[in-house]
Amino acid sequence: MHDERPEKLADSLTEAVEAIYRTFEMRPPLSIEGCPCCIDTRGTDVLLTVPLRQITGQDLWRYVSGAFLTVGGKHDFRYLLPRILEVSVFEPANANDAEIVLGKLSLAAWRSWAADEQLAIEAFIGAWFEQALSVDLSEADECWIGRDAESVLCGAGRGGIPMERLLARLVEPNAAPVLADMRERFPSKPFGFWKDAPDAFSKVRAFLNQGRTQVANLPSVPFD
């Protein structure tokens, strides 16, 4: 059903993850700040003492869920970002939802970061979306369509990631089952995490309602 071989998709995703590691390589921060009543329950000490690539998804889960809300700031988030993204794609059962992970990028003001850092993130998300599509399509022959791609799409919307390229990918022939499924069930009003990305939701809904209309013709949404 999908043109890309699984091993090729895995290689592309691995390359994207390694690019994130190279781009954001830095020394661990001396400490992670947070709300005094919350910091002790987040297990942040292990995030600074264990080698970055060895931090477990469960240890990261508590940090990510509270990042920029009750714990952490831009410096520690940038340090942990490669491992957060790696766990998200290769150990999803031990990771936060894509909507939560990518939504943290907006809180980190990633559009103020260096150009190479922004490009590395966009390339990673493109590879993640391809993997999500492949997972969604893996059982299409049994009339079951997954929703991983929509999860990444919604996360991209929450994170202020350009939607045009991801939406354009959905009109390619091998993504047809996912596109048809989204058109059939996409609601008229936001639900779940979509409510936190109203502009992106409106763009996706307009795209689905307009059939194969050029994505470039959809109204653009400025980044924060």
Side-chain angles (χ1 to χ4, degrees):
M1 183 65 68
H2 200 281
D3 292 343
E4 295 279 4
R5 294 175 62 85
E7 56 268 27
K8 184 177 180 180
L9 287 173
D11 289 345
S12 297
L13 197 51
T14 297
E15 291 173 6
V17 168
E18 290 304 317
I20 292 286
Y21 269 106
R22 291 192 301 271
T23 303
F24 289 90
E25 184 177 7
M26 65 186 73
R27 293 180 180 275
L30 297 177
S31 63
I32 297 177
E33 303 297 328
C35 169
C37 61
C38 301
I39 194 72
D40 291 340
T41 66
R42 296 289 177 177
T44 56
D45 289 349
V46 70
L47 303 181
L48 304 180
T49 56
V50 172
L52 183 60
R53 290 178 185 258
Q54 296 177 24
I55 298 174
T56 68
Q58 287 299 308
D59 287 333
L60 280 172
W61 191 94
R62 289 177 290 179
Y63 168 85
V64 173
S65 63
F68 299 107
L69 301 175
T70 59
V71 64
K74 292 181 182 179
H75 185 59
D76 44 85
F77 179 76
R78 285 167 55 86
Y79 166 70
L80 294 167
L81 184 60
R83 183 57 176 160
I84 291 171
L85 297 180
E86 182 181 27
V87 169
S88 295
V89 296
F90 292 123
E91 302 175 41
N94 293 317
N96 300 80
D97 294 335
E99 296 94 330
I100 294 175
V101 171
L102 296 180
K104 298 297 179 178
L105 291 171
S106 287
L107 298 180
W110 75 292
R111 278 307 186 188
S112 66
W113 298 356
D116 63 323
E117 295 172 343
Q118 295 184 44
L119 289 173
I121 289 172
E122 290 182 359
F124 168 83
I125 293 170
W128 190 0
F129 191 66
E130 285 295 334
Q131 182 212 45
L133 276 174
S134 181
V135 171
D136 287 351
L137 293 166
S138 63
E139 296 184 278
D141 291 338
E142 284 74 42
C143 299
W144 171 259
I145 304 297
R147 298 184 180 179
D148 284 22
E150 184 181 344
S151 180
V152 175
L153 188 65
C154 180
R158 295 190 75 216
I161 289 92
M163 305 291 286
E164 287 78 7
R165 184 177 299 179
L166 303 182
L167 292 176
R169 177 66 182 86
L170 289 176
V171 301
E172 294 183 17
N174 61 0
V178 171
L179 180 58
D181 179 68
M182 287 186 66
R183 282 202 179 116
E184 180 179 351
R185 63 179 173 75
F186 215 71
S188 60
K189 295 182 180 179
F191 70 98
F193 289 104
W194 279 116
K195 65 180 175 58
D196 299 321
D199 290 338
F201 178 85
S202 295
K203 177 171 284 191
V204 172
R205 186 173 61 186
F207 164 74
L208 294 174
N209 289 339
Q210 293 177 22
R212 300 177 66 87
T213 299
Q214 292 284 338
V215 177
N217 292 334
L218 294 176
S220 61
V221 178
F223 295 113
D224 293 332

